[in-house]
Amino acid sequence: MDTSQNTALLRALTELPGPLPARGVIHVVIRHTDRFTVVGNDLAQHPGLSTTAVGFAVRIQSLPQGTEVGIKALAARFPEGEKLIAAALRELETHGYLQRARTRLPNGRIVTRTVFCNQPTALLRPRAAAAPPQLPPAARPITTHAQASEPTVKPEASPEPDPQPEPTPDPPAPLAAPPQAAAPPFVRLVPPPTAPKPPRPPLPRPRELTPELERISTALLSDLRHHAPQFTLSEEHVRELVPGVAAWLERDAHPDTIRHTLTINAPEPVNYPYQFVKHRLTVLLPPPLPGAHDLTPPPARRNPVTPFQTCDGCERAFRAPTPGHCRDCRNEVAYAQAAA
């Protein structure tokens, strides 16, 4: 049985004007009037994007605002699998077409917001100042030479002329828009995906790796797979992680506490147990225990107490910093001197 041919396409090929190329692609262009999306050649012919990434970029660009474009949502809509979709989205993120960021809504819920740009290179160029609006040619008043030189013809006088409406004044010319200042150059606040990441902090090490600390640390790391099978470490990885566990033990952390910290709330599955354990040993390292002098409260500040003194005149006890007379005796001496 012969293969069916698209006769409509062949008939349209014969109607193309001009000489056709002998080889290569020949375009039959039919103008769209509805349901179409404009795709730039910078995306369609991007040298660094795979055909799968370009196809998903076109599909995402054609979707309306607010459509879910996550990996699972795209896998449910299109026949490609989740791994292929995830690889294509990573390519688009690397070249700046796609950005996914977690945003907190006013009700406290955290959602992932996806932003797609059809031409990310335009965001890096300085934005030109907006030109003042201009009137279309139809709205501009036009005065020809013939109209200016044409003499006015007066109508003949009639006994009872009909009332004529008053001529409407010409509309005022629109005011020109004030010149706008040039827009500041575009500054990218978010680093590009290809920017170098800061180095990770090193694995903590003890002041002195004693044989006892090394033995306990090796036993603790080797025994992790009995509590969580996904934390099965190789012998080489155990040797590399021993200094980190020894630093915890040196700071008086109990082995059960270390084991609980390393395995609690772990993702399912743990694809890289060595990197996961190293990250938690580094980031969650507890501070050293304070010494006895650090926990001693500061001495309470006492107010100075004025001592008791014995009056030299009446031998009455009173408070004063130095010996002498009490207040009553001082008043009597003052009265006597005033009377004299």
Side-chain angles (χ1 to χ4, degrees):
M1 186 175 182
D2 296 337
T3 305
S4 59
Q5 300 291 335
N6 190 350
T7 58
L9 186 59
L10 295 179
R11 185 171 61 255
L13 186 63
T14 60
E15 298 175 0
L16 292 179
L20 300 179
R23 62 181 62 184
V25 65
I26 301 174
H27 295 282
V28 178
V29 180
I30 301 175
R31 184 177 297 275
H32 292 280
T33 58
D34 59 350
R35 293 183 53 82
F36 66 92
T37 301
V38 179
V39 179
N41 286 339
D42 57 337
L43 172 61
Q45 301 178 6
H46 198 289
L49 289 176
S50 63
T51 306
T52 305
V54 173
F56 275 103
V58 174
R59 286 185 167 181
I60 293 174
Q61 188 175 345
S62 65
L63 295 175
Q65 294 267 35
T67 306
E68 294 289 339
V69 290
I71 297 177
K72 294 188 179 296
L74 293 177
R77 181 186 293 267
F78 303 119
E80 288 79 5
E82 294 186 6
K83 292 185 178 180
L84 188 61
I85 295 175
L89 296 184
R90 284 194 297 268
E91 288 186 49
L92 295 177
E93 281 186 298
T94 302
H95 291 84
Y97 287 92
L98 187 73
Q99 183 178 1
R100 290 175 288 189
R102 300 178 68 84
T103 307
R104 183 182 298 275
L105 299 179
N107 59 1
R109 182 184 176 187
I110 298 178
V111 297
T112 300
R113 177 172 293 174
T114 304
V115 181
F116 182 85
C117 180
N118 62 340
Q119 194 176 357
T121 54
L123 299 178
L124 303 179
R125 296 195 296 264
R127 299 180 182 177
Q134 297 182 358
L135 290 177
R140 298 177 184 174
I142 300 176
T143 303
T144 61
H145 179 70
Q147 292 176 352
S149 60
E150 182 180 359
T152 58
V153 179
K154 296 182 179 181
E156 296 180 357
S158 59
E160 294 181 359
D162 296 334
Q164 299 291 335
E166 296 183 358
T168 57
D170 295 336
L175 298 178
Q180 299 181 359
F186 176 75
V187 179
R188 186 164 187 165
L189 302 179
V190 180
T194 56
K197 297 182 180 180
R200 295 182 179 180
L203 185 71
R205 304 185 68 86
R207 291 190 299 269
E208 181 183 0
L209 185 58
T210 61
E212 184 68 15
L213 288 177
E214 185 176 4
R215 181 186 62 82
I216 299 176
S217 302
T218 304
L220 190 147
L221 292 171
S222 303
D223 189 59
L224 285 179
R225 63 178 182 268
H226 290 160
H227 301 271
Q230 52 189 345
F231 287 93
T232 302
L233 301 172
S234 64
E235 188 174 356
E236 180 181 359
H237 288 167
V238 169
R239 286 196 301 266
E240 294 179 3
L241 295 175
V242 160
V245 179
W248 282 59
L249 294 173
E250 191 179 52
R251 300 190 178 191
D252 295 337
H254 196 272
D256 293 339
T257 303
I258 301 176
R259 185 183 301 109
H260 178 77
T261 304
L262 296 180
T263 58
I264 190 65
N265 293 334
E268 290 289 346
V270 179
N271 297 325
Y272 304 99
Y274 165 72
Q275 297 290 345
F276 185 83
V277 174
K278 181 180 178 181
H279 174 74
R280 288 203 169 183
L281 288 175
T282 305
V283 177
L284 303 180
L285 179 67
L289 291 178
H293 63 281
D294 297 330
L295 298 177
T296 303
R301 184 179 179 180
R302 297 182 178 182
N303 296 328
V305 180
T306 306
F308 282 101
Q309 306 290 346
T310 301
C311 180
D312 296 338
C314 62
E315 297 185 353
R316 183 187 300 174
F318 69 97
R319 290 185 180 275
T322 57
H325 293 81
C326 64
R327 181 174 56 183
D328 295 341
C329 294
R330 291 196 303 269
N331 292 338
E332 291 180 1
V333 174
Y335 291 154
Q337 293 177 355

